[in-house]
Amino acid sequence: MSGATGKRYAVHDDAGHVMDTVKIIQDTTGGYLAVSHHLAADGHFRVNLATSTDLLSWHWVRELAGSNTGPASQPTIVQASNGGFVLAWEQEQPGGGNNHLAIRYYASRADLLAGNVARSFDASRQLSSCAEGTPNIYSVTLSPDIDHSTIDVGGHYWWNCDRDRQQRGRLTNFSSWSTSAQPNYDNALLYWGVGGNIGDRDQAVFRGFSFGLIEGQYAKGDFGSWRTFVYDYQTGNADQTAIHTDGGSTAFANPTITALRAPNGQPAILTTLFIPSQGAAAGESGELIYYHTY
C-alpha cells in the first residue's frame, strides 16, 4: 500500500455516508462516478451515487435504491457503449428476506444523476431458495439497444442456505434471466482451504489479460478471516494476495478493480476493498480506495 499513487481509508462522501462496497468507474465527461451502500438509521442499507474529480474525495449526488425499494446493498455499475448505464445491486423486500439481484438501466448520464430509471428488472432466484446477490457486471452488449441486449452478470447464491457460492447469469433483452452455478470459481478458492463464504468478485482487463479479484472467508462466520484472491479467467486458478496496509490490517473483503485514467491522465489500476473491523488496524476499518499508475 505504501507504493500506491493515491489512497484513502475509511472513505465517506461529503454528506457523511460511508461508501462501503464502492464501485468506481470513469466519468466520460470528466472525473469519476461511484456507487456504494451505507447502513441508514433505520437499520436498512441504501445505495448511493457520488462523483469525484480526484478518486479520493466524493460528492454525494443522490440515493438510487433503498428507501422506496426495501433494503438495497452491494451495488455495481457499468457504462454501455451508447452512453447509458447499467446498475445492479442485491435487493431485499421491505422487512427483509427474498434477497435477489436487481438490475436497472439509465439512458444517459443526466438520467443517472437525476435517478430516472428507463428499464427495471428483478431476477427471480434460480439456484437458492434463500438468497442470491452481490453482483458484478462483466459486460453489456447492445444489438443495437437496451431492448436488444445481453448483460453478463456475476453473483453469489446461498448454497444449501448455508454458504455463499458463485453464479454467473445473463439478462437478455432486459426481459429474460438465466443463471448457472460456477463451481470452477469456487474450487479455485476451496483449493486454498476457504471454508466459509465465497462471495463478491470483480473483473478487469490489463494489457489484454483478463483477471479478477474475489473474496473468500476462511472460517464461516468469522469476519476477520476474509481474504482477497486474484482469479485467472484464462486458467481458472486463483492465488492468494499479499495486501500490506500502512497499519497492518489483515482482513479484506468486497474487492473491486477498474482500469481507468488517473487524475493526472496516466493509465491506472484502481482497487477498492472493505476492511472489516475484525482484523483492521487502527484507523483503517471501512472502505479503502487505492490506485497505481503505470
Side-chain angles (χ1 to χ4, degrees):
M1 200 66 60
S2 59
T5 307
K7 62 189 172 186
R8 179 151 297 171
Y9 296 96
V11 179
H12 291 65
D13 63 31
D14 60 3
H17 308 109
V18 297
M19 294 180 64
D20 292 347
T21 70
V22 67
K23 172 64 178 179
I24 299 168
I25 61 173
Q26 197 98 48
D27 184 345
T28 54
T29 68
Y32 310 92
L33 298 166
V35 290
S36 61
H37 76 227
H38 82 283
L39 188 63
D42 63 2
H44 292 160
F45 286 107
R46 306 280 191 263
V47 168
N48 291 314
L49 173 69
T51 60
S52 177
T53 58
D54 65 2
L55 286 173
L56 303 179
S57 301
W58 292 91
H59 168 64
W60 181 76
V61 176
R62 67 168 49 252
E63 180 185 307
L64 292 175
S67 293
N68 298 324
T69 62
S73 62
Q74 311 283 351
T76 190
I77 192 169
V78 67
Q79 187 168 22
S81 59
N82 66 349
F85 294 85
V86 177
L87 172 71
W89 68 83
E90 181 171 339
Q91 178 65 54
E92 298 178 49
Q93 65 186 13
N98 190 32
N99 293 47
H100 62 275
L101 294 174
I103 305 171
R104 302 291 186 265
Y105 173 69
Y106 301 84
S108 67
R109 181 183 184 277
D111 283 341
L112 175 67
L113 269 61
N116 296 327
V117 177
R119 298 287 186 278
S120 298
F121 186 87
D122 282 65
S124 60
R125 294 196 304 267
Q126 298 183 8
L127 300 177
S128 172
S129 61
C130 295
E132 299 181 14
T134 312
N136 72 297
I137 300 173
Y138 288 104
S139 64
V140 176
T141 304
L142 305 179
S143 304
D145 54 30
I146 197 64
D147 293 319
H148 305 84
S149 63
T150 301
I151 302 174
D152 185 1
V153 182
H156 72 63
Y157 69 99
W158 203 8
W159 170 74
N160 287 342
C161 299
D162 179 61
R163 297 163 205 233
D164 290 336
R165 293 294 184 260
Q166 295 299 292
Q167 67 168 310
R168 190 164 179 171
R170 176 174 293 182
L171 177 58
T172 304
N173 301 336
F174 229 88
S175 62
S176 176
W177 172 254
S178 62
T179 191
S180 61
Q182 300 293 303
N184 286 348
Y185 293 8
D186 299 327
N187 290 337
L189 270 65
L190 294 172
Y191 171 85
W192 293 103
V194 171
N197 291 323
I198 300 173
D200 204 358
R201 81 235 55 78
D202 203 16
Q203 180 261 354
V205 175
F206 178 69
R207 295 176 176 170
F209 179 78
S210 179
F211 73 102
L213 299 177
I214 183 169
E215 64 175 3
Q217 185 185 38
Y218 274 99
K220 180 183 175 183
D222 180 4
F223 280 80
S225 71
W226 281 110
R227 299 293 186 270
T228 290
F229 297 78
V230 175
Y231 183 80
D232 185 336
Y233 285 90
Q234 285 71 214
T235 66
N237 295 322
D239 287 313
Q240 299 178 93
T241 59
I243 300 169
H244 300 285
T245 67
D246 294 273
S249 294
T250 56
F252 306 98
N254 298 108
T256 78
I257 188 163
T258 309
L260 43 64
R261 290 278 172 181
N264 66 2
Q266 290 183 285
I269 295 293
L270 176 133
T271 305
T272 72
L273 297 164
F274 181 75
I275 303 178
S277 57
Q278 304 89 332
E284 292 187 353
S285 66
E287 195 69 12
L288 167 63
I289 296 172
Y290 65 99
Y291 67 93
H292 292 264
T293 57
Y294 61 93

